[in-house]
Amino acid sequence: MFFNGKMSMGISLSPESGTNIVNTGKLIDKKIIELKEKLPAGVNIEKVYYQPELVTSAINNFILNLIMSVITVVGILLIIMGVKSGLIIGANLVLAILGTLIFMLMANIDMQRVSLGSFIIAMGMLVDNSIVIVDGVLVRRNQGMSMEDSLRESTHKPALPLLGATFIAAIAFLPAYLMASYTGEYVSSSFWVIGVSLMLSWVLCLTQTPVYCKLYLENEPIKEPSEREKDFYKKVHSILEFLLERKKSTLSFMALALFISGLIFIKIPKTFFPASDKKGFTISVWAPEGSKMQVAENATKKLSSFLRENKNVVNIVETIVSSPSRYYVCTIPEMPNSSYGEIIVSVDKLKNLEKVASSVVDYANKNMPGIMVSAKKYPNGVPTQYPIEIAFSGNDPKVLRNLAEQAMDIMKKYPNTLNVKTNWRNKILTWNGDYSQAKGLRGNITPIDVTTGLMRTTSGMPIGKIEDGDNSLAVILKETSDNDSNDINDIGQTPIWGVSLKPQPLSGTLDREFLSFEEGQIWRRNRVRTITVQCDVPMGVTAEEVRGEFKKEIENISLPKGYTLTWLGEYHEQTKNIFALMSEVPITLVIMFTICVLLFASVKIPLLIFSALPFAMIGVAPGLFLSGKSFGFMSTIGFVSLSGMMIKNMIVLVDEINYEINILKKDKFIALVDSAISRIRSVALAALTTILGMIPLLWDPLYGDMAATIIFGLFVSTVLTLFVFPVGYATFYNISKDKNTK
């Protein structure tokens, strides 16, 4: 190992489970300072990958984003709901977050990227319940009710629907917790953080919120709606009536919009997990298989020298023969191989990373023939060895090699496939000799003598050990000479010593000798011989986009009987994890559907609610396409959580519709219009706070795709809930406007 060109020794430290990595880092820093005072001159301790500093930086950025989200949400509430009402709702938000932090401490849930990001995801939903209560109190107070009656009606009537809707919104994240995969473990804390905070918000909206309303809103003057408000609600009333009078046209238009969104969705880049925002990357250096260690070492040093001339490079670490110990959980170390070298590069700024990586790859391609060089960013989430991998499995290595060559020829035609190779690497030129019993006896040479003679003149023959305390040093016997006598062309002249006083040349003990190419390594998958074709993709280009260019050609390769083709890499991991996620969705949907049935004592209404969920794609697909985001695992979780938000809003709306029809005995058509209008402020405000609270996450490399999914999906789903869902309800229950209704 070399650090900035100097010989080094690497030490890897891993914290015990349950420890605070930041506090552990402080103890390590203290110990490093102590050790530096005792080190000889010229010996230093340097940090290569120091997670405590990275975690501290990430946590500080997320806390800043969380504070910005809270300020944004409360600011919107203050502007729209008024200062006192906004502060009451904001207090509910803060108390819910603080209560969840206490739960996290008791449940040993760490403060990390996923758990902190979950607060931002839940931000808008946390104020949703209190908005419904405060809005109900303000509306009833403006209608002339006393504060006690307003509080009683505003809390008793929606209490059960809000409980069911909140529980459904929390349960929407259950698949991420239940999925049986490493990714599920990675994101599982989001279920507990969001679930507990949402349930706390429901408890607080029925306890703390009414008390604060009584204390701070009782003496507030009753406000008459302004002319602007009256005009707004008149326009909304007209739009609702217009849509309800044209149910078939409205629903047909929505179906067409959903179809167009599906076409747009096809064009959206598909990814698994986005790249990390760490200011560093790794470089893999491969010499031809079977090369001496010095070939990979010289190539690695040459690249390091080139990198040290770049002013944007901070540190360079080189390792020869194998990867360094697994310093980052989302990396896959290479197996020891004399043909391999690895470089860890740290840069000063994230924006310079791709420029530095591209420059080193270009330099290698122009100045280092026969050396394969690839640069990779640190991944997020679940790692893959190569972004695109194709595995051929079967019995005969020759057939497998032929299939792999066909796949490689196809892939090399496309410019976005870099460093196309197989995990068996190239075949190795080997020397073979058939020992002759007759010739061996004449020269008193045995097969063991031949073996030891070859070992002495090539890699060396172990002859003993030197023990020094706990240390053990092997003693190797190796013959050396000025000329390269162990070159494969002259191997027949290797001296072989038997029991006689004179050596015999190796060729004098053999019937024949010949050269041949053989497989240097053969890998198996599920105990079956498997050769995997691998390639990198350029930084900034998605693996799925590149895979799609040659997918059909690869799958059209004719496979002999008993041989299989399997896509691995990012596609395999994404498919596996999305399947693991979606396999838990049915149980979640059953729970959600059961709650809806219990809430409304009906199967029709839950069917109507769930049939509206796919229409959220009308916002998701164009939003991702226009924002340049991709659809991957985190986007899938975002869409599942978006479904929970939609169900929650529709439950509250249906409860109001049923109340106006069954309790107030309004005409059904009028009840539909009035219910939607009465819920505009609470539903729209909850959606607005969620959307604005999610904006800081748009630039986060892990949560960016999820944030875009929820922002654009929630915007459209809010419009659907308030304007299109009543149309679906009217169609489902055959409600039309009475000619005498005005």
Side-chain angles (χ1 to χ4, degrees):
M1 176 180 281
F2 298 86
F3 182 86
N4 289 337
K6 298 178 181 179
M7 181 69 76
S8 306
M9 180 178 68
I11 300 176
S12 294
L13 302 175
S14 180
E16 294 180 353
S17 177
T19 58
N20 186 317
I21 187 66
V22 176
N23 292 337
T24 303
K26 292 178 181 177
L27 296 175
I28 294 173
D29 287 337
K30 184 178 179 181
K31 191 66 178 179
I32 288 175
I33 293 173
E34 294 176 5
L35 290 173
K36 282 185 174 181
E37 296 175 352
K38 302 175 183 178
L39 292 175
V43 179
N44 296 317
I45 298 177
E46 304 287 351
K47 298 172 182 176
V48 177
Y49 182 91
Y50 201 58
Q51 193 170 353
E53 293 176 353
L54 297 173
V55 169
T56 301
S57 176
I59 294 296
N60 290 340
N61 288 336
F62 252 87
I63 290 176
L64 179 61
N65 286 337
L66 182 60
I67 293 172
M68 288 176 59
S69 294
V70 172
I71 293 173
T72 301
V73 170
V74 174
I76 292 297
L77 293 171
L78 293 176
I79 293 171
I80 297 178
M81 299 290 291
V83 175
K84 290 185 177 180
S85 299
L87 290 175
I88 291 171
I89 299 170
N92 178 286
L93 169 64
V94 173
L95 289 174
I97 293 175
L98 293 176
T100 307
L101 290 174
I102 294 172
F103 168 81
M104 290 171 62
L105 179 63
M106 296 169 59
N108 293 322
I109 297 176
D110 299 328
M111 286 184 65
Q112 25 82 359
R113 195 167 204 161
V114 174
S115 58
L116 288 176
S118 300
F119 279 119
I120 302 178
I121 294 171
M123 192 70 62
M125 294 186 284
L126 291 178
V127 299
D128 195 4
N129 291 331
S130 287
I131 288 174
V132 172
I133 300 300
V134 174
D135 183 59
V137 170
L138 294 177
V139 169
R140 287 169 176 81
R141 286 287 288 159
N142 290 337
Q143 292 174 350
M145 283 190 182
S146 65
M147 177 56 74
E148 287 74 12
D149 291 339
S150 298
L151 288 172
R152 188 180 300 109
E153 190 166 329
S154 298
T155 53
H156 289 186
K157 183 173 78 70
L160 191 58
L162 283 179
L163 173 61
T166 303
F167 190 73
I168 284 174
I171 284 295
F173 292 86
L174 183 61
Y177 174 73
L178 293 178
M179 61 183 295
S181 70
Y182 170 77
T183 308
E185 182 182 347
Y186 184 70
V187 299
S188 60
S189 60
S190 62
F191 167 70
W192 289 111
V193 173
I194 294 174
V196 170
S197 60
L198 286 178
M199 297 311 297
L200 276 176
S201 74
W202 177 79
V203 173
L204 290 169
C205 85
L206 297 178
T207 53
Q208 171 255 338
T209 302
V211 172
Y212 279 26
C213 287
K214 172 71 174 175
L215 289 174
Y216 300 111
L217 297 182
E218 186 170 21
N219 297 323
E220 284 290 295
I222 296 174
K223 296 180 181 179
E224 292 291 331
S226 65
E227 291 299 322
R228 181 179 297 179
E229 287 182 72
K230 291 179 180 178
D231 290 340
F232 172 76
Y233 285 116
K234 283 180 181 179
K235 289 178 181 178
V236 172
H237 192 283
S238 301
I239 293 172
L240 282 167
E241 283 200 352
F242 178 84
L243 296 175
L244 286 167
E245 289 172 358
R246 295 162 179 80
K247 294 191 289 288
K248 290 184 179 180
S249 300
T250 302
L251 296 179
S252 298
F253 176 79
M254 297 309 300
L256 177 62
L258 181 60
F259 175 75
I260 294 173
S261 298
L263 297 178
I264 296 174
F265 183 76
I266 296 174
K267 301 294 183 181
I268 296 173
K270 309 299 188 300
T271 60
F272 178 37
F273 266 94
S276 171
D277 58 349
K278 293 178 173 60
K279 293 184 289 187
F281 63 96
T282 60
I283 300 173
S284 297
V285 181
W286 286 99
E289 185 70 13
S291 300
K292 294 180 180 179
M293 181 183 72
Q294 288 78 6
V295 178
E297 182 178 7
N298 292 337
T300 304
K301 287 184 176 180
K302 189 173 183 179
L303 287 177
S304 297
S305 298
F306 171 77
L307 283 166
R308 283 196 292 272
E309 296 174 0
N310 193 315
K311 62 180 181 181
N312 297 318
V313 174
V314 178
N315 290 321
I316 303 168
V317 177
E318 312 158 42
T319 59
I320 313 298
V321 177
S322 68
S323 299
S325 57
R326 195 174 187 181
Y327 57 93
Y328 176 45
V329 71
C330 292
T331 58
I332 300 178
E334 291 285 351
M335 297 291 288
N337 191 312
S338 62
S339 308
Y340 180 73
E342 185 171 315
I343 305 174
I344 304 171
V345 184
S346 300
V347 297
D348 55 353
K349 296 179 181 178
L350 185 61
K351 65 179 183 180
N352 296 325
L353 190 150
E354 291 191 14
K355 183 172 65 174
V356 174
S358 299
S359 68
V360 72
V361 172
D362 291 341
Y363 174 81
N365 292 337
K366 294 175 181 177
N367 300 281
M368 301 170 65
I371 302 296
M372 186 178 291
V373 175
S374 62
K376 297 178 183 177
K377 291 181 179 180
Y378 289 115
N380 260 328
V382 180
T384 57
Q385 198 160 25
Y386 287 85
I388 300 177
E389 294 182 322
I390 308 159
F392 294 96
S393 301
N395 292 324
D396 191 342
K398 291 183 179 179
V399 175
L400 293 174
R401 176 67 75 171
N402 178 262
L403 293 172
E405 292 291 343
Q406 293 182 54
M408 291 172 67
D409 290 340
I410 293 171
M411 295 167 69
K412 287 177 180 177
K413 295 188 300 183
Y414 296 88
N416 284 331
T417 55
L418 307 178
N419 302 321
V420 181
K421 68 178 189 69
T422 72
N423 64 336
W424 289 15
R425 306 282 291 148
N426 53 279
K427 290 185 176 182
I428 300 174
L429 179 64
T430 59
W431 175 90
N432 298 271
D434 292 338
Y435 174 76
S436 171
Q437 292 282 355
K439 293 180 180 180
L441 288 174
R442 282 198 301 267
N444 295 319
I445 303 292
T446 66
I448 294 178
D449 296 330
V450 174
T451 301
T452 56
L454 286 171
M455 291 176 66
R456 286 195 309 270
T457 55
T458 53
S459 59
M461 182 177 70
I463 60 172
K465 288 184 179 180
I466 299 175
E467 301 289 344
D468 182 14
D470 294 333
N471 299 319
S472 178
L473 184 66
V475 179
I476 304 295
L477 175 63
K478 184 174 180 179
E479 295 182 14
T480 60
S481 60
D482 294 335
N483 59 352
D484 196 7
S485 60
N486 63 347
D487 185 271
I488 197 167
N489 295 316
D490 301 321
I491 200 168
Q493 302 303 313
T494 301
I496 305 297
W497 293 84
V499 295
S500 60
L501 297 177
K502 292 184 179 181
Q504 296 288 330
L506 175 61
S507 58
T509 65
L510 305 175
D511 279 336
R512 68 178 183 129
E513 55 180 306
F514 59 94
L515 300 176
S516 65
F517 284 94
E518 296 181 0
E519 299 292 354
Q521 49 184 312
I522 294 179
W523 290 83
R524 285 173 170 80
R525 186 170 183 264
N526 297 330
R527 301 176 66 184
V528 179
R529 288 191 183 97
T530 301
I531 186 169
T532 304
V533 181
Q534 304 164 321
C535 80
D536 291 308
V537 299
M539 290 186 181
V541 179
T542 65
E544 188 59 25
E545 180 183 344
V546 177
R547 191 184 79 93
E549 295 176 354
F550 52 79
K551 174 178 177 290
K552 290 184 179 179
E553 290 184 71
I554 294 292
E555 293 176 348
N556 286 335
I557 293 176
S558 178
L559 299 176
K561 186 176 180 180
Y563 290 79
T564 60
L565 181 154
T566 306
W567 288 98
L568 300 179
E570 286 189 11
Y571 172 79
H572 173 73
E573 290 296 333
Q574 181 173 3
T575 304
K576 180 180 70 176
N577 283 282
I578 289 182
F579 178 80
L581 178 69
M582 299 309 292
S583 64
E584 305 298 340
V585 169
I587 181 82
T588 305
L589 291 177
V590 168
I591 295 173
M592 291 178 170
F593 192 85
T594 303
I595 293 172
C596 287
V597 171
L598 294 175
L599 280 175
F600 300 110
S602 168
V603 176
K604 276 188 173 184
I605 291 177
L607 286 174
L608 177 62
I609 290 174
F610 277 77
S611 64
L613 298 181
F615 288 90
M617 189 57 70
I618 297 173
V620 173
L624 291 176
F625 182 78
L626 294 174
S627 62
K629 298 293 184 179
S630 59
F631 191 88
F633 179 78
M634 297 302 291
S635 302
T636 304
I637 293 181
F639 190 81
V640 172
S641 64
L642 175 63
S643 301
M645 300 178 200
M646 288 181 65
I647 293 173
K648 181 178 182 181
N649 287 335
M650 286 185 281
I651 285 176
V652 175
L653 178 59
V654 171
D655 178 67
E656 184 65 25
I657 293 172
N658 290 343
Y659 176 78
E660 298 210 4
I661 292 176
N662 299 324
I663 305 300
L664 300 183
K665 303 299 181 182
K666 285 187 179 181
D667 176 78
K668 292 182 178 180
F669 185 88
I670 296 175
L672 279 177
V673 176
D674 290 351
S675 298
I677 291 175
S678 68
R679 288 300 175 193
I680 278 182
R681 183 160 67 171
S682 59
V683 172
L685 187 56
L688 182 62
T689 52
T690 301
I691 289 170
L692 294 178
M694 292 287 290
I695 286 178
L697 287 183
L698 275 174
W699 293 273
D700 183 81
L702 179 62
Y703 281 103
D705 295 343
M706 175 193 280
T709 300
I710 293 176
I711 287 172
F712 294 104
L714 187 58
F715 174 78
V716 172
S717 67
T718 301
V719 177
L720 292 173
T721 300
L722 295 172
F723 294 95
V724 180
F725 182 79
V727 177
Y729 189 98
T731 304
F732 214 62
Y733 285 94
N734 196 24
I735 299 173
S736 299
K737 183 177 181 180
D738 193 337
K739 293 181 180 180
N740 298 322
T741 302
K742 294 185 180 180

